[in-house]
């Protein structure tokens, strides 16, 4: 069913006169002489240049031409530095470090409970 779905749709939605008109259509591409064909490396080079131009345009727009935030001097990093450092600092110093498992050691061994000592005066 899936293989012939295009023929089913074609026969369902187009009249037979359209089908006959389409049968007479021949699609051909122009032949390009070998000496006028473009090398693939030139196409890659052109695409690389388009990519580089886009990166330069985005950088230039962000830093020099954007009208949304007048006088924008990348000042958010100075205002939010301490917050960003706190939020983006990993909790664990190493992968599976001891501080990553506050409810027991990483090896699964039972940890000895830490009892709080009350002073004699406090009750």
């Amino acid at each position: 069913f899936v293989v012939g779905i295009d023929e089913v749709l074609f026969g369902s939605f187009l009249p037979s006169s359209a089908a006959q008109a389409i049968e007479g259509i021949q699609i051909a591409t122009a032949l390009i002489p070998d000496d006028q064909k473009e090398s693939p490396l030139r196409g890659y080079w052109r695409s690389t240049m388009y990519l580089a131009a886009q990166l330069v345009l985005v950088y230039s727009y962000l830093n020099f031409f954007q009208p949304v935030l007048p006088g924008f001097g990348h000042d958010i990093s100075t205002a939010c530095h301490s917050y960003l450092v706190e939020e983006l600092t990993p909790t664990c110093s190493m992968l599976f470090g001891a501080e990553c498992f506050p409810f027991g050691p990483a090896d699964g061994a039972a940890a000895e409970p830490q009892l709080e000592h009350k002073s004699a005066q406090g009750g």
Side-chain angles (χ1 to χ4, degrees), residues 13-42:
F13 292 112
L14 290 176
S16 60
S17 60
Q20 290 172 356
I22 291 175
E23 284 179 8
I25 295 175
Q26 294 181 358
I27 299 175
T29 59
L31 294 176
I32 300 172
D34 289 337
D35 60 338
Q36 293 180 358
K37 287 184 181 178
E38 184 178 308
S39 87
L41 289 177
R42 184 172 178 168

Side-chain angles (χ1 to χ4, degrees), residues 70-90:
F72 175 67
H74 302 284
D75 53 355
I76 195 166
S77 62
T78 57
C80 301
H81 180 70
S82 62
Y83 172 78
L84 292 173
V85 166
E86 180 181 329
E87 288 298 315
L88 299 178
T89 302

Side-chain angles (χ1 to χ4, degrees), residues 46-120:
R46 183 177 56 239
S47 296
T48 303
M49 289 297 108
Y50 286 148
L51 177 65
Q54 293 300 314
L55 293 174
V56 167
L57 286 172
V58 168
Y59 178 81
S60 299
Y61 181 78
L62 176 65
N63 290 302
F64 306 113
F65 302 115
Q66 62 88 15
V68 178
L69 302 170
F72 175 67
H74 302 284
D75 53 355
I76 195 166
S77 62
T78 57
C80 301
H81 180 70
S82 62
Y83 172 78
L84 292 173
V85 166
E86 180 181 329
E87 288 298 315
L88 299 178
T89 302
T91 305
C92 305
S93 61
M94 293 177 49
L95 187 62
F96 301 116
E99 66 273 7
C100 293
F101 301 97
F103 302 111
D107 61 2
E112 293 186 26
Q114 299 292 329
L115 300 176
E116 294 182 20
H117 297 286
K118 295 183 180 180
S119 66

